[in-house]
Structures are given as structure tokens and as C-alpha cells.
Amino acid sequence: MFRIGIDDTDSPAGMCTTYLAAVLIRRLHRAGVRVIEARLVRLNPNVPEKTRGNAAICLVAEGSLHTAFHLACRAVEELAEMSHEGTHPGVAACGQVPPPDFYLRAVRGFCTVDEAISLLGEWGALFKGYKAGRGLIGATAAICSHFDDFTYELLLYRRRARFGTPREVDRQSLFAADAVTYPHTWDTVDRENGIVVCVPHTPDPVLLGIRGERPGWLALARESVVSERPACEQLFVTNQGTDAHIVPGEIGRLEEGHSYLVGGAVHSRAVTIRGGHVCLPLTDGKMMLPCMAYEPTRGFRDVVRALLPGDKVRAAGSYKRGSLNLEKIEVVSAPPLLLSRPPLCERCGKRMTSAGTGKGYKCRRCGGRKGAPGVVAVPRAVSPGWYEVPPSARRHLARPLCRGVREDFLRACTSDVQPQDPPGNDHGSGLHA
Ligand code: ZN
């Protein structure tokens, strides 16, 4: 048994590494190499060179490693967008499975081509980098990939003659597929916003992709889909929808281009800036972290806008240019807003009025007096629980809430805040008036 890793064969103008893999798998079978598993390995979405999904491929196979490596290189030379300036393919094949460290670093942080080459040499892998060879990073990460958690994606590819033409997929059939299989499949459509999510708009060979928990659910969803005739279909095991990119983090200790779950309190109300983007300042009691909900996250922004100072939250997203780009947020506590207002007169029931600063309240009708104000609890527009961006704005790696939240994260991340300086503010007391 051996593994083949392939990365960086596409460009914004076309191709898709998963399509190259689908073609290669069929060629390998004809050459007597049996592919046992095809993996779609998503890597750090914040790598600046990557404008698209940052996906690598790992094929787990049986047969001749040399034949497989040769065919993989041939497929890359034939199909990769080699003329595009940003495309630098890499292919690697290895008879052993190195430890997952390199994969974890490539999904959560950054790796270099030199580190990849050194690891491939150490493990006796066959490898080839094209042009700057940057794809060797993803190819190596794919070979080292280990999924604690995984999902599946069934990808349908277009016939070559149709590449670049509008895709013919019946919209209603996708809503039907979702209705039958959600929450065991997700991101087929965005029901809240009435948008089809699973059909790309880029000129690549993908017709559509269905994501879900188990192959059986994907097959069931697939049965509902009405579309142009695909050239082929390929099932991938993937780290999509698992939050593999996220680690627990602390405000003030976040690294650029990494993704985190952080806890804290809302410092002040969210501000809507130009373009409809929303910025929510979080604090741990000492440091501040701006959290962004961008315009494409649509209704999710209303959740962020409804938060008030002192509310406790846990927020997940990527740290870029000094702010956390929200993927989901847990409202841990959002106590009712307590407003003080003049009390009702105990004798005649009329609302009293202020008798002057520090002098309590008096009744204009009967002259009755009272010292303390009444307190009214105003219900909140947001209640405790998790909220996520809609499917149309979701990142490939982000775990949809229909799959639940990783328990190990929650244990590692608290929303408790340190007492502020000076102490005695309204954090946690719920008295905002
Ligand atoms: Zn009165």
C-alpha cells in the first residue's frame, strides 16, 4: 500500500486538482493500480498564494508505486494549468505514512517547499516539483494526512465539450435533494437565502459537489439531482466540514494567518462599516480583538449586531490583519437588558416622575414619594447558543453546526474574562442602563 499526493494544478481560469485525480484514478485502474481511497485534503485557507480552496489530493493505492508515480506526473504534465503564473504543481509518492505533523502544520499554519522536500527525502518518497514546486507542500501534507474527523464529498465532472459553458443543473432538484437528506448532507443549497451553493461559477470541470456525513446519504441526494450528463463522478473522503484548521486561542496571542476559537466578552456594540461589513470588538478584560462579519454572511450579521457589552461569547474564525473573520459564534450569555425607570405610585398606580437629582421620585397626582427606581427587564433579540455564517459564505473546512461542535474545543476555550481595570464595571451583571 502506498500514497500519492498531488497539489497546485489549477488556476482561477480552470482545472481543478480533484478532476485531475478523478482522471488519474481511472488511468491507474487500467494500469493495474487499485485506488482504495481518494482523499480531498483542504489546507490552510489563509495561505496568501491561494486564491481558491487550497485543496490537495491524496490517493491511497495498491500496486506498483513507480507506475503510479509515473502516471501521476504524466497527468499533471497533461492537465495542469502549467502556463498560469501562479500554478506550481507538486507530485509525491511514498510507501510509508509519515507522522501527521506536517499535515497539521499545513492545515493550521504555514510550511515551506524546503521543509516538504526534506521530509520527502527522509521518508524515501518519489517526488517531482514543477516550476517553483510549491505544490510539493500540499502533496507532502496530503501524504501525511490523518483525519481525526472526516466527511465525504461526491463530485460530478463535466464532459470536456461543456467546459466553460453555463452549467445545466435543475435548481428545484437541488432543493429537493437537500430536503430529503439534510442534515446528513449540507451546503447543497442555502435555504435561508434561496441560493444554490453546490454548483460552482468558475470555468473549471466541476459540475457540482454534494457534501455529507456518509456515502449513502450522498447517493440518496445524488438520485434527486437533475442535470446535464456528467463525464464521471468521484467520491472523496475529506477533512471538509471538520474545523481541522481551528485551534483554541487567546486574545492578544493570535498569529497572522492562523484560525482560532477564542472566548471573551463583548466590549462595545458592533459597528456596521462601509460595504455592510460588521465589526464587533471582543475583550478578555485586558486586550481587544475586533471580530468581522463580512457582508456576504448576510443574516449572521444581525446576530452580531444584537450583542451588547458584557455578553460572553466564543468566536471561531481566521485571524487576518489584526481581526478575527467570524465563521461561527457561540453566545454563552446574553442576560436581559435591565432598564431603570420611575416606579409606579403605590397609592394611585400612576407612573411617578423624578423629584430631582438624588431626591427619588414623586407622584404628580397624589404627591406620594418613593426612593428607588423600578427595574424593567427587556428581552434580548439574541439568545444563548451557536450561530454560523450561511452555507453560501461558509469555508470548506468550517464545521457546519448541523454536525455539532467539537467538544475538545469547548473544554479548551473559556469565555470567562479577567476583571477589568478599574474593576466593578457591568460585565456579567447584565445592568446596561
Ligand atoms: Zn400617586
Side-chain angles (χ1 to χ4, degrees), residues 70-83:
H70 176 69
L71 286 174
C73 290
R74 279 251 308 268
V76 167
E77 286 152 22
E78 179 190 335
L79 295 170
E81 292 274 297
M82 214 67 89
S83 61

Side-chain angles (χ1 to χ4, degrees), residues 345 347-350 363 365-368:
C345 174
R347 270 188 281 178
C348 66
K350 189 175 161 59
C363 177
R365 185 181 291 166
C366 72

